[in-house]
Amino acid sequence: MKPPAQEPGLAKTVAELPRNLWTSIFRNPLPSSDLGRSATSFTNFFLHIHPVKVHQNTLRPLYTLGLGLISLFLFLILAVTGVLLMFYYVPSTGQAYDRMLDLRGSVAFGTFLRNMHRWAAHGMVAAVFLHMCRVFFTGAYKKPREFNWVIGVGLFLLTMFASFTGYLLPWDQLAFWAITVGAAIAGYAPVLGKSMQFILLGDYTVGQEALLRFYVLHVVVLPALMVLLIAVHFWRIRKDGGLSRPEEPVEDKPLYSMKMVAGTTGLEPGEKTIGLMGFVRGPFTKVGNVPDRSVYSWPNLLIAELFVFVLTVAGVLVVSLLFNAPLEEPVNIMHPPNPAKAPWYFLGLQEMVSYSAFWGGIGIPTIEVLILLALPYLDRRPIGVGQWFARERLLANTLFLLFAVVNVILIVIGTFFRGPNWTFVSPW
Amino acid sequence: MTANPPATDKTSRRSVLNWLSSVALFGSAVVSVFSNLVFMKPRATYGAPSRFSIGRPEDFPSGTRISLDARRVCIVREGDRLAAISTTCTHLGCIVGVAETGFACPCHGSRFDQDGNVTGGPAPKPLPWYSINLTPNGELTVDTSVEVQQGAYFQV
């Protein structure tokens, strides 16, 4: 029979309380061995999103440029600052603009938080787009990562839509005319266009219903969808074998096959295949003939992530200290500002709709998105993966660069070369 | 050990049930998504009324071109003829301004002549004309839900 466990005295219980509490929360001590490093990634809820080991290529700053992580961290900054701003915001046409002024005048750090939210949003649109360019130019969308590219395109569209619904909320001149134009563009879609416009606005004209709808989309629906897609995006990175990387040079070892006498299966007489295990003699098995170039996630990957995080936060803080988020005049439904310009990332679209509402606002963007979605299913050649601007992918890279440059040029024209009544003006 | 019964009957009944329940499940999913869309479409709106009074004919002397921006119409009077031309751009819904040559849109540069015909820019259609009526108490009303042909003036 086991003797009953020794009852610890009260003094001992109290003395050991802090340590017991600590070890109950953090079950692994700070790791000092490889086993500990594995266990840290493996058993911690917040860290187990990481693999225990990552390939060295994943940690090369010049390979990823950290763009995916920057996008994620900007999203987190947006979530935190966004929730804080919600405490002072009222989605009502009568109050929204006054609340913006209150944020400036009578809320501690109000201006600063709004600046952070606005500039992080602009940064996220840029970072997500650049991340897509990185993935294309390194051929990372190829098999088996095709569907993760598709999810990425979805996240890009959600980012754009989230920023669109966001800049309507101050209910200033930009907000009102952007929502008017944006909803009218939706109205040009074939067949369902007019119903879509009506459901989006909740009315025939832009007003309280539209503000409320865009608010709900902005603070609940779109962020929820984004969290879901981000989770799937990350999960698939793991399941697709980590970040893309160049194919490893395979060491030249003899193939394990030999001819043996008296085969009995469907092979040629005199031939027999034998599994690898049949040749193992020593006390260990060496799996694969590729040198192991992976490192432990703790601390290597974690430090890299922390570095990008600090850099991202620092960038947003500096920009928010230097520049105030724009706030235009309160809504005046009599007079659109002239010219009425969207934020920079929509000016390429605005430039296109100034030629044709259907083709610029619906036709060409739809075709562009469909091509982006189909890309990994059209480009099936498994070459040039994991390498920037691989020579074998010259044509594909040139086409995508052209696509990116055309969009940038349209944005530059819309930003600097368009004056009152959207006429061509020289910025000089 | 039980002998397997003839496979065909069992399999067929099971597959029909599988098929039916799949259709029911999928169908109810479709119906609930559709009903949510219906929910999103309001049955009544709080927007501005489409019929409104603009004043008496004397308020608009001949040669008047007044843009009632809050109502989004421009009232034109030539001699004893009156017209109400929409000032909502047919391109993407901005309010066009009254210009020397007609109307000009500040958003994407559409231009219209005095009668609302497109003279430049991306607008696909001319500005519509709305019906004007004289009420028994001598006031003019514009009904933006009724479009009339271009040039169909209201005789005062």
Side-chain angles (χ1 to χ4, degrees), chain A residues 184 188 203 213 333-334 353-354 421, chain B residues 40 45 47 90-91 95 109 122:
Chain A
Y188 272 86
D203 203 337
R213 281 176 183 226
I333 60 166
M334 320 270 193
V353 293
S354 77
N421 290 337
Chain B
M40 292 304 292
T45 62
T90 54
H91 178 227
I95 290 193

Side-chain angles (χ1 to χ4, degrees), chain A residues 393-425:
Chain A
R393 302 188 61 238
L394 191 64
L395 178 68
N397 282 333
T398 311
L399 287 177
F400 193 82
L401 193 65
L402 206 68
F403 159 79
V405 167
V406 165
N407 277 301
V408 170
I409 288 177
L410 284 171
I411 286 175
V412 169
I413 293 178
T415 311
F416 298 110
F417 292 87
R418 290 298 182 179
N421 290 337
W422 208 252
T423 47
F424 200 82
V425 294

Side-chain angles (χ1 to χ4, degrees), chain A residues 164-399:
Chain A
F164 176 67
T165 51
Y167 71 72
L168 299 168
L169 302 184
W171 209 242
D172 59 354
Q173 279 284 68
L174 170 70
F176 184 83
W177 295 103
I179 191 173
T180 303
V181 168
I185 289 177
Y188 272 86
V191 190
L192 292 174
K194 286 292 162 199
S195 315
M196 252 160 57
Q197 183 178 2
F198 184 65
I199 286 180
L200 210 56
L201 295 182
D203 203 337
Y204 296 102
T205 52
V206 177
Q208 175 61 56
E209 297 303 298
L211 177 58
L212 187 57
R213 281 176 183 226
F214 278 77
Y215 175 72
V216 174
L217 284 175
H218 186 74
V219 303
V220 180
V221 179
L222 296 174
L225 284 175
M226 288 176 84
V227 167
L228 180 71
L229 285 197
I230 288 171
V232 179
H233 202 60
F234 287 0
W235 186 78
R236 288 190 81 104
I237 294 175
R238 289 281 300 277
K239 297 297 158 183
D240 292 341
L243 296 196
S244 60
R245 56 181 173 272
E247 218 169 300
E248 312 264 74
V250 176
E251 277 177 25
D252 202 14
K253 284 190 178 176
L255 284 173
Y256 293 111
S257 79
M258 67 183 295
K259 298 201 173 194
M260 291 186 80
V261 194
T264 51
T265 51
L267 298 164
E268 293 280 325
E271 249 185 41
K272 186 180 181 188
T273 54
I274 291 178
L276 178 62
M277 294 304 289
F279 288 88
V280 174
R281 288 283 181 275
F284 60 91
T285 51
K286 184 167 178 354
V287 178
N289 48 0
V290 178
D292 182 20
R293 295 216 280 127
S294 58
V295 294
Y296 281 96
S297 297
W298 176 288
N300 301 288
L301 177 59
L302 219 70
I303 287 175
E305 286 173 348
L306 195 65
F307 182 74
V308 177
F309 177 70
V310 171
L311 219 61
T312 309
V313 173
V316 172
L317 289 181
V318 167
V319 173
S320 305
L321 281 172
L322 293 178
F323 304 102
N324 275 340
L327 181 66
E328 298 195 353
E329 303 282 301
V331 165
N332 180 350
I333 60 166
M334 320 270 193
H335 292 287
N338 195 353
K341 284 195 181 184
W344 58 269
Y345 41 86
F346 281 125
L347 283 182
L349 201 65
Q350 196 174 355
E351 175 65 18
M352 288 203 294
V353 293
S354 77
Y355 299 104
S356 157
F358 174 74
W359 285 109
I362 303 278
I364 293 175
T366 306
I367 292 171
E368 281 183 348
V369 168
L370 288 179
I371 290 177
L372 281 179
L373 290 173
L375 260 179
Y377 303 97
L378 300 175
D379 178 11
R380 304 297 294 174
R381 298 181 311 160
I383 48 167
V385 176
Q387 184 192 349
W388 277 86
F389 302 113
R391 282 197 84 77
E392 307 94 305
R393 302 188 61 238
L394 191 64
L395 178 68
N397 282 333
T398 311
L399 287 177

Side-chain angles (χ1 to χ4, degrees), chain A residues 82-128:
Chain A
V83 168
L84 289 173
L85 290 172
M86 277 173 74
F87 282 108
Y88 283 100
Y89 179 77
V90 181
S92 126
T93 53
Q95 286 196 57
Y97 190 82
D98 291 341
R99 291 297 176 135
M100 292 296 118
L101 299 180
D102 289 351
L103 221 46
R104 273 185 186 172
S106 56
V107 177
F109 301 113
T111 309
F112 190 62
L113 274 178
R114 194 168 99 83
N115 290 352
M116 280 183 74
H117 196 72
R118 177 65 66 99
W119 298 135
H122 283 216
M124 191 176 162
V125 172
V128 170

